[in-house]
């Protein structure tokens, strides 16, 4: 029986990376007088590292124009990352990053049916607050029994910790839960915690490996194009709760 649905954030709830985090990083570089700019292609490579701070440090490891001293290098990454999040909040607040198609409807399905919901992400609580208060209203938290972000899960995806903490807070057995993910690190994290996973393809992970996923499709906003296709349901135009239940039951 499907008792809980746990959502990833970046790439699943919204396409936040290309015109959100990436642009915000570039604005932070410019604001600090750093002559760097992450192109779309470079950012796609860097997304192999989950976590914005960790991503910066991965980029630093390839540069010779960063401080050589470890502490100074970390301090610079931390400054950029904090500034990036301020720019990110501004971008989110402008309305430039809508929820992806079908997300609001599926959240509503789960809430109406009493299926518990959680969030499991490597981004920060402040970034989730900015995004979800914008789109689901100031009291968005009432929809989620658990919100686990970077501050709670100190080991980031692909480590299973973030999903383990969400399950514990929801008080749900992993076999009764389903994760919605888009990235290989996120899929590995959910599988490692014992959850079934479905994958909604996102901008930067359109062709990434999705080994172990129960179902893969182009968007929660369409029913067509999902493999395997889901049986039943009241709404054949999008992925609804009946589709999630069907994929979950096939385990
Ligand atoms: C995606 C990430 C995050 C964001 C940037 O998280 O890896 O690092 O790219 O956010 P998820 P921060 O898919 O788990 O939601 O800078 O706050 O890390």
């Amino acid at each position: 029986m499907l008792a809980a649905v746990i959502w990833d954030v970046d790439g699943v709830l919204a396409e936040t990376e290309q015109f959100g985090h990436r642009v915000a990083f570039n604005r932070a570089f410019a604001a600090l007088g750093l002559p760097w700019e992450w192109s779309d292609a470079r950012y796609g490579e860097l997304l192999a590292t989950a976590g914005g701070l960790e991503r910066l440090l991965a980029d630093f490891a390839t540069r010779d124009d960063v401080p050589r001293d470890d502490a100074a290098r970390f301090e610079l990454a931390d400054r950029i990352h904090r500034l990036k999040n301020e720019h990110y909040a501004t971008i989110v607040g402008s309305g430039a990053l809508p929820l992806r198609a079908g997300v609001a409807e599926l959240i509503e399905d789960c809430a109406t049916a009493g299926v518990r919901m959680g969030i499991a992400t490597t981004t920060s609580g402040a970034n989730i607050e900015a995004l979800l208060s914008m789109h689901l209203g100031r009291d968005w938290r009432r929809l989620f029994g658990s919100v686990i972000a970077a501050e709670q899960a100190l080991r980031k995806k692909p480590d299973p910790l973030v999903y383990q903490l969400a399950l514990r807070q929801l008080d749900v057995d992993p076999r009764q839960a389903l994760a919605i993910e888009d990235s290989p690190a996120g899929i590995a994290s959910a599988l490692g915690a014992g959850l079934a996973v479905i994958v909604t393809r996102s901008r930067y992970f359109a062709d990434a490996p999705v080994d172990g996923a129960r179902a893969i499709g182009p968007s929660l906003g369409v029913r067509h194009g999902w493999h395997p296709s889901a049986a039943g349901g009241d709404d054949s135009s999008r992925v609804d709760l009946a589709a999630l239940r069907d994929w979950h039951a096939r385990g």
Side-chain angles (χ1 to χ4, degrees):
M1 189 198 72
L2 179 64
V5 170
I6 304 184
W7 296 84
D8 171 48
V9 174
D10 297 291
V12 169
L13 292 178
E15 282 282 12
T16 53
E17 298 290 4
Q18 185 182 19
F19 298 117
H21 293 293
R22 184 185 68 90
V23 170
F25 274 116
N26 286 335
R27 288 185 187 167
F29 298 150
L32 293 172
L34 297 162
W36 306 335
E37 182 157 2
W38 283 347
S39 68
D40 194 15
R42 177 67 181 143
Y43 195 67
E45 293 167 4
L46 288 168
L47 275 175
T49 305
L53 183 64
E54 292 79 359
R55 193 167 304 140
L56 272 168
L57 291 168
D59 184 57
F60 281 14
T62 69
R63 294 183 172 279
D64 49 21
D65 55 348
V66 289
R68 296 175 74 97
D69 173 66
D70 283 353
R73 215 168 45 242
F74 185 85
E75 201 257 331
L76 177 61
D78 190 50
R79 249 176 95 201
I80 296 169
H81 190 235
R82 286 170 195 275
L83 194 53
K84 183 278 285 185
N85 283 339
E86 289 175 25
H87 286 289
Y88 178 76
T90 304
I91 294 169
V92 170
S94 75
L97 305 175
L99 294 183
R100 290 189 66 188
V103 165
E105 293 86 345
L106 192 52
I107 288 175
E108 180 68 32
D109 285 353
C110 293
T112 304
V115 171
R116 311 181 78 187
M117 280 183 287
I119 286 178
T121 176
T122 63
T123 201
S124 65
N127 288 347
I128 306 170
E129 177 69 39
L131 186 72
L132 294 189
S133 60
M134 177 80 192
H135 298 299
L136 299 177
R138 290 224 168 141
D139 60 346
W140 64 270
R141 273 187 177 257
R142 78 190 148 77
L143 294 163
F144 299 93
S146 171
V147 178
I148 307 293
E151 294 83 352
Q152 291 79 40
L154 297 183
R155 294 189 306 277
K156 295 188 173 173
K157 298 174 185 178
D159 192 286
L161 180 64
V162 66
Y163 278 100
Q164 289 164 342
L165 293 175
L167 287 167
R168 198 175 304 158
Q169 206 165 55
L170 290 168
D171 195 22
V172 166
D173 185 284
R175 287 164 301 188
Q176 296 189 315
L178 183 75
I180 308 182
E181 272 289 352
D182 68 317
S183 69
I187 296 164
S189 172
L191 292 175
L195 285 84
V197 190
I198 66 159
V199 174
T200 178
R201 289 295 199 179
S202 64
R203 169 75 175 73
Y204 286 109
F205 296 110
D207 302 314
V210 288
D211 301 337
R214 267 310 145 84
I216 303 144
S219 157
L220 297 170
V222 292
R223 189 81 163 220
H224 184 74
W226 280 82
H227 300 286
S229 55
D234 301 329
D235 188 341
S236 58
S237 69
R238 65 175 175 88
V239 172
D240 59 5
L241 180 56
L244 299 191
R245 283 187 165 134
D246 182 41
W247 285 320
H248 182 257
R250 291 185 198 198

